């Protein structure tokens, strides 16, 4: 006897969200842009490593950090993953598909949880793939620059720095999902995330000293410091900053869940 299931399981939602996610052409363009741009920037930065190293004093050479040099391309990677995180939510509002999704799953929190979980899995894989490729590409170019010290994944702290930068990209992507949920508009979400990752840090140094202390956990300042093997005076504990940033992302996601459950479409 064949039984017909009338309820929708969470696994069904995950499959549905994954189907929607991979069917968007913008998904693959954003992921491709993240990998290509990050790797390309690492290649360019690595190609000039010889000239940079040659201009350093003996004291400065002691803190030469080829790992951070290769991972500085996170700057572009975070913008690409942010675009993708926002589109995961706002594309459904733009097409009106969100009404169909909510008709199939009226429990809004469960629907957003499935959407967020699917994106988190993709962001974790894409973030790690991007940082590993950027690191390897950067080190390959640094190795062509003569007597310039390189780094390898087996060196102390390097593997942690590479994986930590990948985690940072995934966390920024989840922050973008939350902002896309709150704004419900691609342009609005992009404006906020650009402000968070670029504009506010650029003008942060002009704020009073008491306000600058809050920047210790600002997403695009403290988080990516995990790529440095030589901690800076401003961010002596990179993992503490990445943890603070992750906590802040969790708070914004919580607010987004509450707003999504209470607002009309």
């Amino acid at each position: 006897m064949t039984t017909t299931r009338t309820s929708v399981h969470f696994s069904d939602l995950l499959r549905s969200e994954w189907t929607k996610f991979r069917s968007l052409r913008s998904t693959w363009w954003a992921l491709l842009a993240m990998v290509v741009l990050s790797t390309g920037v690492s290649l360019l930065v690595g190609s000039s490593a010889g000239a940079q190293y040659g201009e350093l004093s003996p004291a400065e050479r002691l803190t030469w950090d080829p790992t951070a040099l290769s991972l500085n391309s996170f700057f572009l990677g975070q913008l690409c993953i942010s675009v993708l995180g926002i589109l995961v939510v706002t594309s459904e509002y733009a097409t009106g598909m969100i009404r169909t999704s909510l008709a199939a799953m009226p429990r809004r929190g469960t629907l957003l949880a499935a959407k967020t979980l699917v994106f988190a899995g993709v962001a974790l894989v894409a973030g790690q793939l991007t940082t590993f490729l950027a690191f390897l590409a950067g080190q390959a170019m640094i190795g062509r620059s003569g007597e310039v010290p390189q780094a390898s994944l087996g060196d102390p702290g390097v593997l942690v720095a590479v994986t930590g930068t990948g985690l940072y990209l995934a966390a920024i992507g989840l922050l973008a999902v939350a902002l896309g949920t709150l704004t419900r508009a691609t342009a609005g979400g992009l404006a906020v995330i650009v402000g968070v990752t670029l504009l506010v840090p650029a003008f942060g140094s002009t704020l009073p000293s008491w306000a600058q202390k809050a920047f210790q956990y600002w997403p695009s300042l403290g988080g990516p410091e995990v790529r440095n093997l030589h901690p800076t005076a401003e961010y002596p504990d990179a993992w503490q900053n990445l943890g603070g940033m992750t906590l802040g992302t969790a708070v914004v996601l919580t607010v987004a869940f509450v707003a999504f459950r209470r607002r009309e479409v």
Side-chain angles (χ1 to χ4, degrees):
M1 182 176 66
T2 303
T3 59
T4 301
R5 186 155 53 87
T6 57
S7 60
V8 178
H9 293 175
F10 191 68
S11 58
D12 299 326
L13 274 178
L14 290 176
R15 281 195 293 273
S16 172
E17 291 301 323
W18 169 242
T19 300
K20 286 189 286 185
F21 184 84
R22 63 185 172 83
S23 63
L24 286 174
R25 188 178 300 175
S26 57
T27 295
W28 303 108
W29 278 115
L31 290 173
L32 182 64
M34 183 170 72
V35 174
V36 171
L37 291 178
S38 298
T39 305
V41 168
S42 290
L43 287 171
L44 291 174
V45 172
S47 65
S48 61
Q52 294 178 38
Y53 190 76
E55 295 173 354
L56 297 179
S57 66
E60 290 172 328
R61 290 186 178 186
L62 294 177
T63 57
W64 170 254
D65 192 347
T67 301
L69 199 66
S70 298
L71 298 177
N72 281 343
S73 58
F74 81 90
F75 189 77
L76 285 176
Q78 67 181 356
L79 293 179
C80 297
I81 197 70
S82 296
V83 170
L84 183 58
I86 290 170
L87 286 175
V88 163
V89 180
T90 60
S91 62
E92 285 202 59
Y93 280 99
T95 59
M97 184 69 183
I98 190 67
R99 293 185 176 85
T100 305
S101 298
L102 288 173
M105 172 44 69
R107 287 180 292 175
R108 291 168 171 246
T110 305
L111 176 64
L112 185 56
K115 195 182 294 294
T116 304
L117 195 58
V118 167
F119 176 80
V122 174
L124 280 172
V125 174
Q128 295 300 332
L129 176 65
T130 299
T131 53
F132 271 90
L133 285 177
F135 172 79
L136 294 174
Q139 296 310 310
M141 289 304 293
I142 292 174
R144 297 163 58 94
S145 302
E147 300 298 322
V148 180
Q150 298 173 250
S152 70
L153 292 173
D155 292 341
V158 172
L159 186 59
V160 172
V162 175
T163 55
T165 306
L167 290 175
Y168 166 78
L169 291 177
I172 281 288
L174 286 172
L175 178 62
V177 171
L179 294 176
T181 304
L182 290 171
T183 60
R184 297 187 290 186
T186 304
L190 284 174
V192 176
I193 200 69
V194 167
V196 169
T197 57
L198 299 179
L199 298 183
V200 175
F203 294 101
S205 59
T206 63
L207 297 176
S209 58
W210 62 267
Q212 290 185 22
K213 291 181 180 178
F215 278 74
Q216 187 175 7
Y217 299 107
W218 192 260
S220 56
L221 283 179
E225 288 298 309
V226 72
R227 75 190 188 284
N228 290 319
L229 293 188
H230 303 287
T232 60
E234 294 83 1
Y235 305 102
D237 190 331
W239 284 99
Q240 184 182 34
N241 286 283
L242 187 59
M245 170 198 162
T246 305
L247 180 62
T249 299
V251 171
V252 180
L253 266 175
T254 302
V255 174
F257 267 78
V258 172
F260 188 70
R261 293 183 63 181
R262 293 186 175 182
R263 288 190 307 203
E264 295 295 331
V265 175

